[in-house]
Amino acid sequence: MTSERDLLHELEPEAERLLDRHTNVAEEWFPHEYVPYSLGTDFDGMHEGEKWTPDHPSLTGVARTALEVNLLTEDNLPSYHREIHGMFGKKDSAWMDWVHRWTAEEGRHAIVLRDYLMVTRNVDPVKLERGRMAVMMQGYDHHARDTLHGMVYVAFQELATRISHRNTGKYSKDPVADRIMARIAADENLHMVFYRDMVTASMHVDASATVRAIADEVIGFEMPGSGMPNFRRSSAIIADAGIYDLRGHHDDVVWPLLRKWKVFAIEGLDAHAEERREELAAFLDKLDGQASDFEDKREARAARRAKRERRLADATA
């Protein structure tokens, strides 16, 4: 098995190439250009403005929940930077240049999301700040991931985040929010492509170790925001709305990357990697079944809601 130090050394030329590619295609953008600041008014406090009340938001509760989860996830950037810095851990290298570039680009996401939500009064500012404090004090700590596992995880995570952001914007029915989330999703896509192609390169260095890492990360996958307050309930609301659910995770996140990496076509793996690949296949079958079950239950819930609404309409007619 290739050592972590040797892997970093072997892959550094590819990291440099992919960083150059990223720099050439990434578009510069500015958060202030996306936020309708003219809509803003003072809140209560030092400026004696209007206290936030639940009737202020223009977005639905589901859209606000999704945006808050997205923002609080982005807020934990210092922890992610620490994780990725430690994952690559080679000073004065293309790896560190990438880490700093990635962090700088990610930093814009929380800025534009927070400004939008505050200006439009679509979020309780006190609740949001308390949530930010709770998330950042808990941090994000997965020191067990080595470089290879880390690259695989972030490839999946960036794709998942891209889809969640993009669907949140569409669901919001607000053109401003939609533009913001589309812009953030474009960043996440480029970040995913960097990690996706780094994992592809690692296949040529040590295919068995890479397949084992892929199986580990798919089977044990969790979004980075899983530790935030009320995450399970918020995730259920988001899934029920179809913004990000098991079907999307299975069809639009996991399988596209597995196909790109040709995980089930690679030959010459060692015995452990073959075993993990078989476990991955079984897990994917189970995940597909769970996704179908969730879809059936969601349709049943929707049918019951529609029936209740018809009864209520008939009763009040």
Side-chain angles (χ1 to χ4, degrees), residues 65-120:
T65 295
L67 283 164
E68 286 183 40
V69 168
N70 290 339
L71 172 53
L72 292 176
T73 299
E74 298 285 357
D75 271 330
N76 228 351
L77 181 59
S79 284
Y80 310 147
H81 174 87
R82 172 177 49 78
E83 287 283 313
I84 295 178
H85 189 284
M87 191 171 83
F88 293 135
K90 188 177 179 185
K91 296 180 180 179
D92 301 322
S93 67
W95 296 113
M96 286 300 102
D97 291 341
W98 165 256
V99 170
H100 294 308
R101 171 81 189 207
W102 175 86
T103 303
E105 291 181 355
E106 286 282 340
R108 290 189 290 232
H109 301 169
I111 293 170
V112 70
L113 278 172
R114 176 167 282 99
D115 283 2
Y116 164 76
L117 288 171
M118 297 292 279
V119 162
T120 59

Side-chain angles (χ1 to χ4, degrees), residues 239-240 246 289-305:
D240 198 54
L246 286 175
Q290 290 173 334
S292 295
D293 288 345
F294 179 82
E295 289 175 315
D296 291 343
K297 291 175 181 177
R298 180 168 58 195
E299 289 179 10
R301 288 195 297 271
R304 289 195 296 270
R305 283 196 297 268

Side-chain angles (χ1 to χ4, degrees), residues 35-37 39-43 52 56 71 110-129:
V35 179
Y37 290 103
L39 299 180
T41 57
D42 289 339
F43 286 95
W52 184 89
H56 286 168
L71 172 53
I111 293 170
V112 70
L113 278 172
R114 176 167 282 99
D115 283 2
Y116 164 76
L117 288 171
M118 297 292 279
V119 162
T120 59
R121 288 182 173 255
N122 271 303
V123 65
D124 177 348
V126 173
K127 177 187 173 186
L128 182 64
E129 177 59 11

Side-chain angles (χ1 to χ4, degrees), residues 4-21:
E4 191 163 3
R5 181 176 179 179
D6 288 344
L7 182 70
L8 285 168
H9 177 73
E10 287 280 338
L11 293 179
E12 186 168 355
E14 184 67 356
E16 185 171 4
R17 185 185 75 82
L18 294 177
L19 172 59
D20 288 343
R21 183 185 70 179

Side-chain angles (χ1 to χ4, degrees), residues 246-263:
L246 286 175
R247 177 55 61 201
H249 182 69
H250 177 275
D251 292 359
D252 302 326
V253 176
V254 176
W255 266 110
L257 288 176
L258 295 182
R259 283 192 290 267
K260 178 69 176 180
W261 295 325
K262 299 180 172 63
V263 169

Side-chain angles (χ1 to χ4, degrees), residues 1 5 24 29 31 51 72 79 90 122 148 165 182 187 197 205 209 211 219 235 239 250 274 287-288 292 299-300 314:
M1 178 177 175
R5 181 176 179 179
N24 289 331
W29 63 279
K51 181 182 176 70
L72 292 176
S79 284
K90 188 177 179 185
N122 271 303
L148 189 50
H165 284 333
D187 279 1
D197 292 352
V205 176
V211 168
I219 293 171
S235 295
H250 177 275
E274 286 285 9
L287 183 63
D288 184 43
S292 295
E299 289 179 10
D314 291 342

